[in-house]
Coordinates of all heavy atoms in Angstrom, one line a residue:
M1 N -161.1 -5.3 -55.5 CA -160.6 -6.0 -54.3 C -161.5 -7.2 -54.1 O -162.7 -7.1 -54.4 CB -160.7 -5.1 -53.1 CG -160.4 -5.7 -51.8 SD -160.3 -4.6 -50.4 CE -162.1 -4.5 -50.0
N2 N -160.9 -8.3 -53.7 CA -161.6 -9.5 -53.3 C -161.5 -9.7 -51.9 O -160.4 -9.4 -51.3 CB -161.1 -10.7 -54.1 CG -161.3 -10.6 -55.6 OD1 -162.3 -10.2 -56.1 ND2 -160.2 -10.8 -56.3
R3 N -162.5 -10.3 -51.2 CA -162.4 -10.6 -49.8 C -162.7 -12.1 -49.6 O -163.6 -12.6 -50.2 CB -163.5 -9.8 -49.1 CG -163.5 -10.0 -47.6 CD -164.5 -9.1 -46.9 NE -164.7 -9.5 -45.5 CZ -165.3 -8.7 -44.6 NH1 -165.6 -7.5 -45.0 NH2 -165.5 -9.1 -43.4
S4 N -161.9 -12.7 -48.8 CA -162.0 -14.1 -48.5 C -161.5 -14.4 -47.1 O -161.0 -13.5 -46.4 CB -161.3 -15.0 -49.5 OG -159.9 -14.7 -49.5
T5 N -161.6 -15.7 -46.6 CA -161.0 -16.0 -45.3 C -159.6 -16.6 -45.6 O -159.3 -17.1 -46.7 CB -161.9 -17.0 -44.6 OG1 -162.1 -18.2 -45.4 CG2 -163.2 -16.4 -44.2
T6 N -158.8 -16.6 -44.6 CA -157.4 -17.1 -44.8 C -157.5 -18.6 -45.0 O -158.2 -19.4 -44.4 CB -156.6 -16.8 -43.5 OG1 -155.3 -17.4 -43.7 CG2 -157.2 -17.4 -42.2
P7 N -156.6 -19.1 -45.9 CA -156.5 -20.6 -46.1 C -155.7 -21.3 -45.0 O -155.6 -22.5 -45.0 CB -155.8 -20.7 -47.5 CG -155.0 -19.4 -47.6 CD -155.8 -18.4 -46.8
Y8 N -155.1 -20.5 -44.1 CA -154.2 -21.1 -43.1 C -154.8 -21.3 -41.8 O -155.7 -20.4 -41.4 CB -152.9 -20.2 -43.0 CG -152.2 -20.1 -44.3 CD1 -152.2 -18.9 -45.0 CD2 -151.5 -21.1 -44.9 CE1 -151.6 -18.7 -46.2 CE2 -150.8 -21.0 -46.1 CZ -150.9 -19.8 -46.7 OH -150.3 -19.7 -47.9
K9 N -154.4 -22.3 -41.0 CA -154.9 -22.5 -39.7 C -154.3 -21.4 -38.8 O -154.9 -20.9 -37.8 CB -154.5 -23.8 -39.1 CG -155.1 -25.0 -39.9 CD -156.5 -25.3 -39.5 CE -157.0 -26.6 -40.1 NZ -158.3 -26.9 -39.7
C10 N -153.0 -21.0 -39.1 CA -152.4 -20.0 -38.3 C -151.2 -19.5 -39.1 O -150.7 -20.1 -40.0 CB -152.0 -20.4 -36.9 SG -150.7 -21.7 -36.8
H11 N -150.8 -18.3 -38.7 CA -149.6 -17.6 -39.3 C -148.6 -17.5 -38.2 O -148.9 -17.1 -37.0 CB -149.9 -16.2 -39.8 CG -150.9 -16.2 -40.9 ND1 -150.5 -15.8 -42.2 CD2 -152.2 -16.5 -41.0 CE1 -151.6 -15.9 -43.0 NE2 -152.6 -16.3 -42.3
L12 N -147.4 -17.7 -38.5 CA -146.3 -17.4 -37.5 C -145.6 -16.2 -38.1 O -145.0 -16.2 -39.2 CB -145.2 -18.6 -37.5 CG -145.7 -19.9 -36.8 CD1 -144.6 -20.9 -36.9 CD2 -146.0 -19.6 -35.4
L13 N -145.7 -15.1 -37.3 CA -145.1 -13.8 -37.7 C -143.8 -13.7 -36.9 O -143.8 -13.6 -35.7 CB -146.0 -12.7 -37.4 CG -147.4 -12.7 -38.1 CD1 -148.3 -11.6 -37.6 CD2 -147.3 -12.8 -39.6
V14 N -142.7 -13.8 -37.7 CA -141.4 -13.8 -37.1 C -140.8 -12.4 -37.4 O -140.5 -12.1 -38.5 CB -140.5 -14.9 -37.7 CG1 -139.1 -14.8 -37.0 CG2 -141.1 -16.2 -37.5
C15 N -140.7 -11.6 -36.3 CA -140.1 -10.2 -36.6 C -138.6 -10.3 -36.9 O -137.9 -10.9 -36.1 CB -140.3 -9.3 -35.3 SG -139.7 -7.7 -35.5
T16 N -138.3 -9.8 -38.0 CA -136.8 -9.8 -38.4 C -136.3 -8.4 -38.6 O -135.3 -8.2 -39.3 CB -136.7 -10.7 -39.7 OG1 -137.6 -10.2 -40.7 CG2 -137.0 -12.2 -39.5
T17 N -137.0 -7.5 -38.1 CA -136.6 -6.1 -38.2 C -135.2 -5.9 -37.6 O -134.9 -6.4 -36.5 CB -137.6 -5.2 -37.4 OG1 -138.8 -5.3 -38.1 CG2 -137.1 -3.7 -37.5
T18 N -134.4 -5.2 -38.3 CA -133.0 -4.9 -37.8 C -132.8 -3.4 -37.9 O -133.2 -2.7 -38.9 CB -131.9 -5.7 -38.5 OG1 -130.7 -5.3 -37.9 CG2 -131.9 -5.4 -40.0
R19 N -132.2 -2.9 -36.9 CA -131.8 -1.4 -36.9 C -130.3 -1.3 -36.8 O -129.8 -0.2 -36.4 CB -132.5 -0.7 -35.7 CG -134.0 -0.8 -35.8 CD -134.7 0.1 -34.8 NE -136.1 0.1 -34.9 CZ -136.9 -0.7 -34.3 NH1 -136.5 -1.6 -33.4 NH2 -138.2 -0.7 -34.5
D20 N -129.6 -2.3 -37.2 CA -128.2 -2.3 -37.3 C -127.5 -1.8 -36.0 O -126.5 -1.0 -36.1 CB -127.7 -1.5 -38.5 CG -128.2 -2.1 -39.8 OD1 -128.2 -3.3 -39.9 OD2 -128.7 -1.3 -40.7
G21 N -128.0 -2.2 -34.9 CA -127.4 -1.8 -33.6 C -127.7 -0.4 -33.1 O -127.3 -0.1 -32.0
H22 N -128.5 0.3 -33.9 CA -128.9 1.7 -33.4 C -129.9 1.6 -32.3 O -129.9 2.6 -31.4 CB -129.4 2.5 -34.6 CG -128.4 2.7 -35.7 ND1 -127.3 3.5 -35.5 CD2 -128.4 2.3 -36.9 CE1 -126.5 3.5 -36.6 NE2 -127.2 2.8 -37.5
R23 N -130.7 0.6 -32.2 CA -131.7 0.4 -31.2 C -132.0 -1.1 -31.1 O -131.9 -1.8 -32.2 CB -133.0 1.2 -31.5 CG -133.8 1.6 -30.4 CD -135.0 2.4 -30.8 NE -136.2 1.6 -30.5 CZ -137.3 1.8 -31.1 NH1 -137.5 2.8 -32.0 NH2 -138.4 1.1 -30.8
K24 N -132.4 -1.6 -30.0 CA -132.7 -3.0 -29.9 C -133.8 -3.4 -30.9 O -134.7 -2.7 -31.1 CB -133.2 -3.4 -28.5 CG -133.4 -4.9 -28.3 CD -133.7 -5.3 -26.9 CE -133.9 -6.8 -26.9 NZ -134.2 -7.3 -25.6
S25 N -133.5 -4.5 -31.6 CA -134.5 -5.0 -32.6 C -134.4 -6.5 -32.7 O -133.3 -7.1 -32.4 CB -134.3 -4.3 -33.9 OG -133.0 -4.5 -34.4
C26 N -135.5 -7.1 -33.1 CA -135.5 -8.6 -33.2 C -134.5 -9.2 -34.1 O -134.0 -10.3 -33.9 CB -136.9 -9.0 -33.6 SG -138.2 -8.6 -32.4
G27 N -134.1 -8.5 -35.1 CA -133.1 -9.0 -36.1 C -131.7 -9.1 -35.4 O -130.8 -9.7 -36.0
D28 N -131.5 -8.6 -34.2 CA -130.3 -8.7 -33.5 C -130.1 -10.1 -33.0 O -128.9 -10.6 -32.7 CB -130.2 -7.8 -32.3 CG -130.3 -6.3 -32.6 OD1 -130.0 -6.0 -33.8 OD2 -130.7 -5.5 -31.7
G29 N -131.2 -10.9 -32.9 CA -131.1 -12.2 -32.3 C -131.1 -13.3 -33.4 O -130.7 -13.1 -34.5
D30 N -131.7 -14.4 -33.1 CA -131.7 -15.6 -34.0 C -132.9 -15.6 -35.0 O -133.1 -16.6 -35.7 CB -131.8 -16.9 -33.2 CG -130.6 -17.1 -32.3 OD1 -129.5 -16.6 -32.7 OD2 -130.7 -17.8 -31.3
N31 N -133.7 -14.6 -35.0 CA -135.0 -14.7 -35.7 C -134.9 -15.0 -37.2 O -135.7 -15.8 -37.7 CB -135.9 -13.5 -35.4 CG -136.8 -13.7 -34.3 OD1 -136.7 -14.6 -33.5 ND2 -137.8 -12.8 -34.1
A32 N -133.9 -14.5 -37.8 CA -133.8 -14.8 -39.3 C -133.5 -16.3 -39.5 O -134.1 -16.9 -40.4 CB -132.7 -13.9 -39.9
V33 N -132.6 -16.8 -38.7 CA -132.3 -18.2 -38.8 C -133.5 -19.1 -38.3 O -133.8 -20.1 -38.9 CB -131.0 -18.5 -37.9 CG1 -130.8 -20.0 -37.9 CG2 -129.9 -17.8 -38.5
L34 N -134.1 -18.6 -37.2 CA -135.3 -19.3 -36.7 C -136.4 -19.4 -37.8 O -137.1 -20.4 -37.9 CB -135.8 -18.6 -35.5 CG -137.1 -19.2 -34.8 CD1 -136.8 -20.6 -34.3 CD2 -137.6 -18.2 -33.7
K35 N -136.6 -18.3 -38.5 CA -137.7 -18.3 -39.5 C -137.4 -19.5 -40.5 O -138.3 -20.2 -40.9 CB -137.8 -17.0 -40.2 CG -138.8 -17.0 -41.3 CD -138.7 -15.8 -42.3 CE -139.6 -16.1 -43.5 NZ -139.1 -15.4 -44.7
G36 N -136.2 -19.6 -41.0 CA -135.9 -20.6 -41.9 C -136.0 -22.0 -41.3 O -136.5 -22.9 -42.0
A37 N -135.6 -22.1 -40.1 CA -135.8 -23.4 -39.4 C -137.2 -23.8 -39.2 O -137.6 -25.0 -39.4 CB -135.0 -23.4 -38.1
L38 N -138.1 -22.8 -38.9 CA -139.5 -23.1 -38.7 C -140.1 -23.5 -40.1 O -140.9 -24.5 -40.1 CB -140.2 -21.8 -38.2 CG -140.1 -21.5 -36.7 CD1 -140.5 -20.1 -36.4 CD2 -140.8 -22.5 -35.9
K39 N -139.7 -22.8 -41.1 CA -140.3 -23.2 -42.5 C -139.8 -24.6 -42.8 O -140.7 -25.4 -43.3 CB -139.8 -22.2 -43.5 CG -140.4 -20.9 -43.5 CD -140.0 -20.0 -44.6 CE -140.7 -20.4 -45.8 NZ -141.1 -19.3 -46.7
D40 N -138.6 -25.0 -42.6 CA -138.1 -26.3 -42.9 C -138.9 -27.4 -42.1 O -139.3 -28.4 -42.6 CB -136.6 -26.4 -42.5 CG -135.7 -25.6 -43.5 OD1 -136.2 -25.2 -44.6 OD2 -134.5 -25.4 -43.2
E41 N -139.1 -27.1 -40.8 CA -139.7 -28.1 -39.9 C -141.2 -28.2 -40.3 O -141.8 -29.3 -40.3 CB -139.5 -27.7 -38.5 CG -140.0 -28.7 -37.5 CD -139.4 -30.1 -37.6 OE1 -138.2 -30.2 -38.2 OE2 -140.0 -31.1 -37.2
I42 N -141.8 -27.1 -40.6 CA -143.3 -27.2 -41.0 C -143.4 -28.0 -42.3 O -144.4 -28.8 -42.5 CB -143.8 -25.7 -41.1 CG1 -144.1 -25.2 -39.7 CG2 -145.1 -25.6 -42.0 CD1 -144.4 -23.8 -39.5
G43 N -142.5 -27.8 -43.2 CA -142.5 -28.6 -44.4 C -142.3 -30.1 -44.1 O -143.0 -30.9 -44.7
R44 N -141.4 -30.3 -43.3 CA -141.0 -31.7 -42.9 C -142.2 -32.4 -42.2 O -142.5 -33.6 -42.5 CB -139.8 -31.8 -42.0 CG -139.2 -33.1 -41.8 CD -138.1 -33.1 -40.7 NE -138.6 -32.9 -39.4 CZ -139.3 -33.9 -38.7 NH1 -139.5 -35.1 -39.2 NH2 -139.7 -33.6 -37.5
R45 N -143.0 -31.7 -41.5 CA -144.2 -32.2 -40.8 C -145.4 -32.3 -41.7 O -146.5 -32.7 -41.2 CB -144.5 -31.4 -39.5 CG -143.4 -31.5 -38.5 CD -143.8 -30.6 -37.3 NE -142.7 -30.7 -36.3 CZ -142.9 -30.7 -35.0 NH1 -144.2 -30.6 -34.5 NH2 -142.0 -30.8 -34.1
G46 N -145.3 -31.8 -42.9 CA -146.5 -31.8 -43.8 C -147.5 -30.7 -43.5 O -148.7 -30.9 -43.9
W47 N -147.1 -29.7 -42.8 CA -148.0 -28.6 -42.4 C -148.0 -27.5 -43.4 O -148.8 -26.5 -43.3 CB -147.6 -28.0 -41.1 CG -147.8 -29.0 -39.9 CD1 -148.3 -30.2 -39.9 CD2 -147.3 -28.7 -38.6 NE1 -148.2 -30.8 -38.7 CE2 -147.6 -29.9 -37.8 CE3 -146.7 -27.6 -37.9 CZ2 -147.4 -30.0 -36.4 CZ3 -146.4 -27.7 -36.6 CH2 -146.8 -28.9 -35.8
K48 N -147.2 -27.6 -44.5 CA -147.2 -26.6 -45.5 C -148.7 -26.4 -46.1 O -149.3 -27.5 -46.3 CB -146.2 -26.9 -46.6 CG -145.9 -25.7 -47.5 CD -144.8 -26.1 -48.5 CE -144.6 -24.9 -49.4 NZ -143.6 -25.2 -50.4
G49 N -149.1 -25.3 -46.3 CA -150.5 -25.1 -46.7 C -151.5 -24.9 -45.5 O -152.6 -24.4 -45.7
L50 N -151.0 -25.2 -44.3 CA -151.8 -25.1 -43.1 C -151.3 -24.0 -42.2 O -152.0 -23.3 -41.5 CB -151.9 -26.4 -42.3 CG -152.5 -27.6 -43.0 CD1 -152.4 -28.8 -42.2 CD2 -154.0 -27.3 -43.3
V51 N -149.9 -23.9 -42.2 CA -149.2 -22.9 -41.4 C -148.3 -22.1 -42.3 O -147.6 -22.6 -43.1 CB -148.4 -23.6 -40.3 CG1 -147.6 -22.6 -39.5 CG2 -149.3 -24.5 -39.4
R52 N -148.4 -20.8 -42.2 CA -147.6 -19.9 -43.0 C -146.6 -19.2 -42.0 O -147.0 -18.6 -41.0 CB -148.5 -18.8 -43.6 CG -147.8 -17.9 -44.6 CD -147.4 -18.6 -45.8 NE -146.6 -17.7 -46.7 CZ -146.0 -18.0 -47.8 NH1 -146.2 -19.3 -48.2 NH2 -145.3 -17.2 -48.5
V53 N -145.4 -19.2 -42.4 CA -144.3 -18.5 -41.7 C -143.9 -17.3 -42.5 O -143.5 -17.4 -43.6 CB -143.1 -19.4 -41.5 CG1 -142.0 -18.7 -40.7 CG2 -143.5 -20.7 -40.8
S54 N -144.0 -16.2 -41.9 CA -143.7 -14.9 -42.6 C -142.8 -14.0 -41.7 O -143.0 -14.0 -40.5 CB -145.0 -14.1 -42.9 OG -145.8 -14.9 -43.7
S55 N -141.9 -13.4 -42.4 CA -141.1 -12.3 -41.7 C -142.1 -11.2 -41.5 O -142.9 -10.9 -42.3 CB -140.0 -11.8 -42.6 OG -139.1 -12.8 -42.8
S56 N -141.9 -10.6 -40.3 CA -142.8 -9.4 -40.1 C -141.9 -8.2 -39.8 O -140.7 -8.3 -39.4 CB -143.7 -9.6 -39.0 OG -143.2 -9.3 -37.7
G57 N -142.4 -7.0 -40.0 CA -141.8 -5.8 -39.6 C -142.0 -5.7 -38.1 O -142.5 -6.7 -37.4
C58 N -141.6 -4.6 -37.5 CA -141.7 -4.4 -36.1 C -143.1 -4.6 -35.6 O -144.1 -4.1 -36.1 CB -141.2 -3.0 -35.8 SG -141.3 -2.6 -34.0
L59 N -143.2 -5.4 -34.5 CA -144.4 -5.7 -33.8 C -144.7 -4.8 -32.7 O -145.7 -5.0 -31.9 CB -144.5 -7.2 -33.4 CG -144.4 -8.2 -34.5 CD1 -144.1 -9.6 -34.0 CD2 -145.6 -8.2 -35.4
G60 N -143.8 -3.8 -32.5 CA -144.0 -2.8 -31.4 C -143.6 -3.2 -30.0 O -143.9 -2.5 -29.1
Q61 N -142.9 -4.3 -29.9 CA -142.5 -4.8 -28.5 C -141.0 -5.1 -28.6 O -140.5 -6.1 -28.2 CB -143.3 -6.0 -28.1 CG -144.8 -5.8 -28.0 CD -145.2 -4.8 -26.9 OE1 -144.6 -4.9 -25.8 NE2 -146.1 -4.0 -27.2
C62 N -140.2 -4.2 -29.1 CA -138.8 -4.4 -29.4 C -138.0 -4.8 -28.2 O -137.1 -5.6 -28.3 CB -138.2 -3.2 -30.1 SG -139.3 -2.4 -31.3
D63 N -138.3 -4.1 -27.1 CA -137.5 -4.3 -25.9 C -137.6 -5.7 -25.3 O -136.7 -6.2 -24.6 CB -137.8 -3.3 -24.8 CG -137.3 -1.9 -25.1 OD1 -136.3 -1.8 -26.0 OD2 -137.8 -0.9 -24.6
S64 N -138.7 -6.4 -25.7 CA -138.9 -7.8 -25.2 C -138.5 -8.8 -26.3 O -138.6 -10.0 -26.1 CB -140.3 -8.0 -24.7 OG -141.2 -7.9 -25.8
G65 N -138.0 -8.4 -27.4 CA -137.6 -9.3 -28.5 C -136.4 -10.1 -28.2 O -135.7 -9.9 -27.2
P66 N -136.1 -11.0 -29.2 CA -136.8 -11.2 -30.4 C -138.2 -11.8 -30.2 O -138.4 -12.6 -29.3 CB -135.9 -12.3 -31.1 CG -134.6 -12.1 -30.5 CD -134.8 -11.7 -29.1
N67 N -139.2 -11.4 -31.0 CA -140.6 -11.7 -30.9 C -141.1 -12.6 -32.0 O -140.7 -12.4 -33.2 CB -141.4 -10.5 -30.9 CG -141.1 -9.6 -29.6 OD1 -141.4 -10.1 -28.5 ND2 -140.6 -8.4 -29.8
V68 N -141.9 -13.5 -31.7 CA -142.7 -14.4 -32.7 C -144.1 -14.4 -32.2 O -144.4 -14.6 -31.0 CB -142.1 -15.8 -32.7 CG1 -142.9 -16.7 -33.6 CG2 -140.6 -15.8 -33.2
M69 N -145.0 -14.2 -33.1 CA -146.5 -14.3 -32.8 C -147.2 -15.3 -33.6 O -146.9 -15.5 -34.8 CB -147.1 -12.9 -33.0 CG -148.5 -12.8 -32.6 SD -149.2 -11.2 -32.6 CE -149.2 -10.8 -34.3
I70 N -148.1 -16.1 -32.9 CA -148.9 -17.0 -33.6 C -150.3 -16.3 -33.8 O -150.9 -15.9 -32.8 CB -149.1 -18.3 -32.9 CG1 -147.8 -19.0 -32.6 CG2 -150.1 -19.2 -33.6 CD1 -147.8 -20.3 -31.8
Y71 N -150.7 -16.1 -35.0 CA -151.9 -15.3 -35.3 C -152.9 -16.2 -36.1 O -152.5 -17.0 -37.0 CB -151.5 -14.1 -36.1 CG -152.6 -13.1 -36.3 CD1 -152.9 -12.2 -35.2 CD2 -153.4 -13.1 -37.4 CE1 -153.9 -11.3 -35.4 CE2 -154.5 -12.2 -37.5 CZ -154.7 -11.3 -36.5 OH -155.7 -10.4 -36.6
P72 N -154.2 -16.2 -35.8 CA -154.9 -15.2 -35.0 C -155.1 -15.7 -33.6 O -155.8 -15.0 -32.8 CB -156.3 -15.2 -35.7 CG -156.5 -16.6 -36.2 CD -155.1 -17.1 -36.6
Q73 N -154.4 -16.7 -33.2 CA -154.6 -17.2 -31.8 C -154.0 -16.3 -30.7 O -154.3 -16.4 -29.6 CB -154.0 -18.6 -31.7 CG -154.7 -19.7 -32.4 CD -154.4 -19.7 -33.9 OE1 -153.4 -19.1 -34.4 NE2 -155.1 -20.6 -34.7
G74 N -153.2 -15.4 -31.1 CA -152.7 -14.4 -30.2 C -151.6 -14.8 -29.2 O -151.5 -14.3 -28.1
I75 N -150.9 -15.9 -29.6 CA -149.8 -16.4 -28.7 C -148.6 -15.6 -29.1 O -148.2 -15.5 -30.2 CB -149.6 -17.9 -28.9 CG1 -150.9 -18.6 -28.5 CG2 -148.5 -18.4 -28.0 CD1 -150.9 -20.1 -28.8
W76 N -147.9 -15.1 -28.0 CA -146.8 -14.2 -28.2 C -145.6 -14.8 -27.5 O -145.6 -15.1 -26.3 CB -147.1 -12.8 -27.6 CG -146.1 -11.8 -28.1 CD1 -144.8 -11.7 -27.7 CD2 -146.3 -10.7 -28.9 NE1 -144.2 -10.6 -28.2 CE2 -145.1 -10.0 -29.0 CE3 -147.5 -10.3 -29.6 CZ2 -145.0 -8.8 -29.8 CZ3 -147.3 -9.1 -30.4 CH2 -146.1 -8.4 -30.5
F77 N -144.5 -15.0 -28.2 CA -143.2 -15.5 -27.7 C -142.3 -14.3 -27.7 O -142.1 -13.7 -28.8 CB -142.6 -16.7 -28.4 CG -143.5 -17.9 -28.4 CD1 -144.3 -18.3 -29.5 CD2 -143.5 -18.7 -27.3 CE1 -145.1 -19.4 -29.4 CE2 -144.3 -19.9 -27.2 CZ -145.1 -20.2 -28.3
S78 N -141.6 -14.0 -26.6 CA -140.6 -13.0 -26.6 C -139.3 -13.6 -26.1 O -139.3 -14.7 -25.5 CB -141.1 -11.8 -25.7 OG -141.3 -12.3 -24.4
S79 N -138.2 -12.8 -26.2 CA -136.9 -13.3 -25.9 C -136.6 -14.7 -26.5 O -136.1 -15.6 -25.9 CB -136.7 -13.4 -24.4 OG -136.9 -12.1 -23.8
V80 N -137.0 -14.8 -27.8 CA -136.9 -16.1 -28.5 C -135.5 -16.3 -28.9 O -134.8 -15.4 -29.4 CB -137.9 -16.1 -29.7 CG1 -137.7 -17.3 -30.5 CG2 -139.3 -16.0 -29.2
A81 N -135.1 -17.6 -28.8 CA -133.8 -18.0 -29.4 C -134.1 -19.3 -30.2 O -135.1 -19.9 -30.2 CB -132.8 -18.4 -28.2
L82 N -133.1 -19.6 -31.0 CA -133.2 -20.8 -31.9 C -133.6 -22.0 -31.1 O -134.4 -22.9 -31.6 CB -131.9 -21.0 -32.6 CG -131.9 -22.0 -33.8 CD1 -133.0 -21.6 -34.8 CD2 -130.5 -22.0 -34.5
A83 N -133.1 -22.2 -29.9 CA -133.4 -23.3 -29.1 C -134.9 -23.4 -28.7 O -135.4 -24.5 -28.3 CB -132.6 -23.3 -27.8
D84 N -135.7 -22.4 -28.9 CA -137.1 -22.4 -28.6 C -138.0 -23.0 -29.7 O -139.2 -23.0 -29.6 CB -137.6 -20.9 -28.3 CG -136.9 -20.4 -27.1 OD1 -136.7 -21.1 -26.1 OD2 -136.5 -19.2 -27.1
L85 N -137.4 -23.4 -30.8 CA -138.1 -23.9 -32.0 C -139.1 -25.0 -31.6 O -140.3 -25.0 -31.9 CB -137.2 -24.4 -33.0 CG -137.8 -25.0 -34.3 CD1 -137.5 -24.1 -35.5 CD2 -137.3 -26.4 -34.5
P86 N -138.7 -26.0 -30.8 CA -139.6 -27.1 -30.4 C -140.8 -26.6 -29.6 O -142.0 -27.1 -29.9 CB -138.8 -28.0 -29.5 CG -137.4 -27.8 -29.9 CD -137.3 -26.3 -30.3
E87 N -140.6 -25.6 -28.8 CA -141.8 -25.1 -28.0 C -142.7 -24.3 -28.9 O -144.0 -24.4 -28.7 CB -141.2 -24.2 -26.9 CG -142.3 -23.7 -25.9 CD -141.8 -23.0 -24.7 OE1 -140.6 -23.0 -24.4 OE2 -142.6 -22.3 -24.1
I88 N -142.2 -23.6 -29.8 CA -143.1 -22.9 -30.8 C -143.9 -23.9 -31.6 O -145.1 -23.7 -31.7 CB -142.3 -21.9 -31.7 CG1 -141.6 -20.8 -30.8 CG2 -143.1 -21.3 -32.7 CD1 -140.6 -20.0 -31.5
L89 N -143.3 -24.9 -32.1 CA -144.0 -25.9 -32.9 C -145.0 -26.6 -32.0 O -146.1 -27.0 -32.5 CB -143.0 -26.9 -33.5 CG -142.1 -26.2 -34.6 CD1 -140.9 -27.2 -34.9 CD2 -142.9 -25.9 -35.8
A90 N -144.7 -26.9 -30.8 CA -145.6 -27.6 -29.9 C -146.9 -26.7 -29.7 O -148.0 -27.2 -29.6 CB -145.0 -27.9 -28.6
A91 N -146.7 -25.4 -29.7 CA -147.8 -24.5 -29.5 C -148.7 -24.4 -30.8 O -149.9 -24.2 -30.8 CB -147.3 -23.1 -29.2
V92 N -148.1 -24.6 -32.0 CA -148.8 -24.6 -33.2 C -149.6 -25.9 -33.5 O -150.7 -25.9 -34.0 CB -147.8 -24.4 -34.4 CG1 -148.4 -24.7 -35.7 CG2 -147.2 -23.0 -34.3
E93 N -149.0 -27.0 -33.0 CA -149.6 -28.3 -33.3 C -151.1 -28.5 -33.1 O -151.8 -29.0 -33.9 CB -148.8 -29.4 -32.5 CG -149.1 -30.8 -33.0 CD -148.1 -31.8 -32.5 OE1 -147.4 -31.5 -31.5 OE2 -148.0 -32.9 -33.1
P94 N -151.6 -28.0 -32.0 CA -153.1 -28.2 -31.7 C -153.9 -27.5 -32.8 O -155.0 -27.9 -33.1 CB -153.3 -27.5 -30.4 CG -152.0 -27.5 -29.7 CD -151.0 -27.4 -30.8
F95 N -153.4 -26.4 -33.3 CA -154.2 -25.6 -34.3 C -154.2 -26.4 -35.7 O -155.1 -26.3 -36.5 CB -153.7 -24.2 -34.5 CG -153.6 -23.5 -33.2 CD1 -152.4 -22.9 -32.7 CD2 -154.7 -23.4 -32.3 CE1 -152.3 -22.3 -31.5 CE2 -154.6 -22.8 -31.1 CZ -153.4 -22.2 -30.7
V96 N -153.1 -27.1 -36.0 CA -153.0 -27.8 -37.2 C -154.0 -29.0 -37.1 O -154.7 -29.4 -38.1 CB -151.6 -28.3 -37.5 CG1 -151.5 -29.2 -38.6 CG2 -150.7 -27.1 -37.6
Q97 N -154.1 -29.6 -36.0 CA -154.9 -30.8 -35.8 C -156.3 -30.5 -35.5 O -157.2 -31.4 -35.6 CB -154.3 -31.7 -34.7 CG -152.9 -32.2 -35.1 CD -152.2 -32.9 -33.9 OE1 -152.6 -32.9 -32.8 NE2 -151.1 -33.7 -34.3
G98 N -156.6 -29.3 -35.1 CA -158.0 -28.9 -34.7 C -158.8 -28.6 -35.9 O -158.5 -28.5 -37.0
Ligands
FES1 S1 -138.1 -4.9 -33.8 FE1 -139.3 -6.7 -33.4 S2 -140.9 -6.0 -32.3 FE2 -139.8 -4.2 -32.8

């Protein structure tokens, strides 16, 4: 095993868990599409290599989902929709420039 520090300023963890309607889950909303849109916009802004967008499994707050977390800054967005993309990117911007 090797140990190092993260090469990224922050990670966007986009919960895309789906339970196929058996129970509320983030995959019921826009998160899968949002993840792709976030990746596209981060690339367009030249933030690739600084910000990593990853699908995550359940973050344990399903009833407030769809959920997106900025880590390690600990910013949590719930009830997220595709229209929230600009607000999420605005929250990321200071960490990229800092
Ligand atoms: S399904 Fe997303 S937090 Fe549980």
Side-chain angles (χ1 to χ4, degrees):
M1 177 175 81
N2 297 314
R3 179 175 169 164
S4 62
T5 56
T6 176
Y8 302 106
K9 299 277 189 178
C10 64
H11 296 248
L12 290 178
L13 301 179
V14 182
C15 180
T16 54
T17 299
T18 180
R19 297 189 178 94
D20 298 321
H22 297 294
R23 207 177 112 202
K24 184 172 180 180
S25 55
C26 296
D28 299 339
D30 293 336
N31 267 12
V33 175
L34 177 66
K35 181 198 167 201
L38 283 167
K39 287 185 78 143
D40 290 347
E41 187 60 23
I42 281 166
R44 194 186 69 74
R45 293 178 181 218
W47 294 353
K48 194 173 178 184
L50 298 173
V51 178
R52 183 74 185 175
V53 181
S54 300
S55 297
S56 87
C58 179
L59 297 167
Q61 301 294 320
C62 318
D63 287 339
S64 64
N67 293 296
V68 175
M69 184 170 67
I70 303 176
Y71 191 82
Q73 290 83 7
I75 299 171
W76 193 290
F77 296 102
S78 58
S79 302
V80 173
L82 191 55
D84 297 317
L85 180 116
E87 187 174 344
I88 295 169
L89 291 167
V92 167
E93 191 165 19
F95 306 124
V96 173
Q97 296 173 346

